[in-house]
């Protein structure tokens, strides 16, 4: 007669030290992972600290941390500006033109050049 394990029974846990053993056995893979992780931290996460400049009244003489915290004042000023609609329209159009000229046009040009017969 075979034993049937119930759905509520806890699964067998891995022996202690199994993670450490796996890391020791595959240390080359973890060493190769250090460079991408370091680059991600350096170029993606450290610059996020500077995002708070959007919420400060930045003065170069006081420096970044010495500048006064003003919260959402710059955002309110931007959204209530009389030229807000025109600025948003221009931004969206520039983005669409960039997508148009940066993505399909070079592919079409490459296909056309490939089809040329000498």
């Amino acid at each position: 007669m075979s034993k049937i394990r119930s759905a509520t029974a806890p699964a067998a846990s891995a022996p202690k030290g199994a993670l450490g053993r796996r890391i020791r056995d595959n240390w080359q893979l973890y060493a190769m992972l250090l460079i991408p992780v370091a680059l991600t931290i350096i170029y993606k996460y450290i610059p996020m600290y500077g995002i708070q400049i959007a919420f400060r009244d930045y003065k170069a003489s006081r420096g970044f941390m010495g500048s006064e915290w003003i919260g959402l004042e710059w955002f309110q000023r931007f959204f209530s500006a009389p030229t807000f609609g025109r600025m948003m329209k221009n931004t969206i159009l520039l983005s669409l033109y960039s997508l148009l000229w940066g993505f399909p046009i070079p592919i079409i040009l490459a296909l056309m050049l490939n089809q040329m017969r000498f």
Side-chain angles (χ1 to χ4, degrees):
M1 184 173 205
S2 66
K3 281 188 171 180
I4 299 175
R5 199 166 36 147
S6 70
T8 59
S13 62
K16 292 187 179 190
L19 178 63
R21 187 167 9 112
R22 282 187 295 179
I23 291 174
R24 255 192 328 272
D25 292 343
N26 299 309
W27 68 271
Q28 296 95 345
L29 296 174
Y30 289 102
M32 285 178 17
L33 236 138
L34 286 177
I35 292 174
V37 168
L39 289 175
T40 300
I41 290 170
I42 291 169
Y43 291 110
K44 300 288 184 184
Y45 289 106
I46 291 176
M48 288 176 77
Y49 178 72
I51 289 175
Q52 61 178 291
I53 201 168
F55 303 99
R56 292 184 182 271
D57 186 18
Y58 181 72
K59 303 275 190 251
S61 60
R62 291 191 212 154
F64 186 70
M65 295 305 294
S67 297
E68 181 185 352
W69 183 269
I70 57 170
L72 296 174
E73 181 181 329
W74 293 121
F75 294 96
Q76 291 170 346
R77 190 172 174 185
F78 172 71
F79 290 123
S80 64
T83 57
F84 169 73
R86 187 171 42 133
M87 287 189 288
M88 284 304 292
K89 181 182 122 191
N90 289 345
T91 301
I92 291 170
L93 284 175
L94 282 172
S95 297
L96 289 175
Y97 292 152
S98 175
L99 281 173
L100 175 68
W101 290 101
F103 180 64
I105 299 297
I107 294 172
I108 292 168
L109 180 63
L111 289 171
M112 288 171 49
L113 288 173
N114 189 39
Q115 294 298 320
M116 288 181 86
R117 304 278 183 222
F118 294 109

